[in-house]
Amino acid sequence: MHVQEWLEAVPPVAIYALVGLVIVLESLGIPLPGEIILVSSALLASQHGDINPIILGTCAVAGAVIGDSIGYAIGRKGGRPMLAWLGKKFPRHFSEGHIATAERSFEKWGVWAVFFGRFIALLRIFAGPLAGVLHMPYWKFFIANLFGGIVWAGGTTAVIYYVGVVAESWLKRFSWLGLVVAVLIGLTSMIVLKRKAKSAAQKTEAEPGAEPVAVAAAE
């Protein structure tokens, strides 16, 4: 069953809780499809009036901030042995290459890696734990975490919701022509994102001492 179809089968309160919980767990470092759940829920809210987009966005922001903060605490206490343990449990997501790439991002961008990490699948699961492992001052981490969560979770909810509302109205008005245009726009966006992700991966591989790592722009 598709995510959208599954979400339609549960009540609004459960959707709010699910979005918050999945994003909390993803921010802790557990590889879950937080962005997919958020986008699907926001799109569903645009089609069903009983789902409040403001509450949905608030739950998403809260999940992002709380999850990253817990991840930070775990990383600070567990240190590098914890990363090694995660590498054994989740080799696909916590390989040495992925950890090295995330560390280079922190070394280059510092606190901005926490903020922008929200928009990159690889850094989204690393930001909290790795900031703790590297002993980034918590107040700096919290500010970047808070604003990153607001912009990513709140912004994603708002954009997808309003795009869904406009698209639904437009499609009803222009019938099959609107559907064709919407599909073309979607395909174009997907191609652009894939090219950007490929370009980012190639730049990472070209850096001195960098290991080949596939960096994803979205989940």
Side-chain angles (χ1 to χ4, degrees):
M1 184 181 292
H2 295 295
V3 174
Q4 190 81 3
E5 295 174 346
W6 185 84
L7 289 172
E8 289 179 351
V10 299
V13 174
I15 291 177
Y16 302 146
L18 176 67
V19 168
L21 179 61
V22 170
I23 293 178
V24 164
L25 295 177
E26 183 187 39
S27 301
L28 281 173
I30 300 175
L32 291 175
E35 192 168 56
I36 293 176
I37 294 294
L38 178 58
V39 168
S40 298
S41 299
L43 187 60
L44 188 63
S46 71
Q47 301 167 355
H48 298 272
D50 53 344
I51 301 175
N52 190 315
I54 296 178
I55 297 177
L56 180 66
T58 301
C59 291
V61 171
V65 174
I66 293 172
D68 257 5
S69 294
I70 297 175
Y72 174 92
I74 293 174
R76 189 162 184 121
K77 184 176 181 180
R80 292 191 177 278
M82 181 198 69
L83 293 180
W85 180 80
L86 287 173
K88 294 178 181 179
K89 294 293 182 180
F90 305 100
R92 180 181 175 184
H93 297 86
F94 290 89
S95 66
E96 292 183 6
H98 284 178
I99 293 174
T101 299
E103 282 191 291
R104 285 195 297 272
S105 298
F106 269 76
E107 291 173 1
K108 184 176 181 179
W109 300 107
V111 72
W112 287 104
V114 177
F115 179 86
F116 289 111
R118 273 285 153 203
F119 303 88
I120 303 173
L122 176 63
L123 286 180
R124 191 156 56 244
I125 65 174
F126 275 109
L130 190 56
V133 170
L134 298 177
H135 286 198
M136 177 182 289
Y138 180 71
W139 69 270
K140 290 184 178 181
F141 169 80
F142 178 77
I143 292 175
N145 179 29
L146 176 62
F147 283 100
I150 291 173
V151 174
W152 174 73
T156 298
T157 302
V159 170
I160 297 300
Y161 174 79
Y162 285 111
V163 167
V165 170
V166 172
E168 185 177 18
S169 174
W170 200 65
L171 288 174
K172 286 180 179 178
R173 185 176 178 182
F174 294 98
S175 186
W176 64 270
L177 178 61
L179 178 61
V180 171
V181 174
V183 170
L184 290 176
I185 292 175
L187 289 174
T188 301
S189 300
M190 181 178 66
I191 293 173
V192 170
L193 286 174
K194 284 186 176 182
R195 286 183 177 178
K196 287 185 177 180
K198 184 178 180 180
S199 176
Q202 290 175 342
K203 288 181 180 179
T204 300
E205 292 175 1
E207 292 179 1
E211 299 181 24
V213 179
V215 180
E219 292 180 345

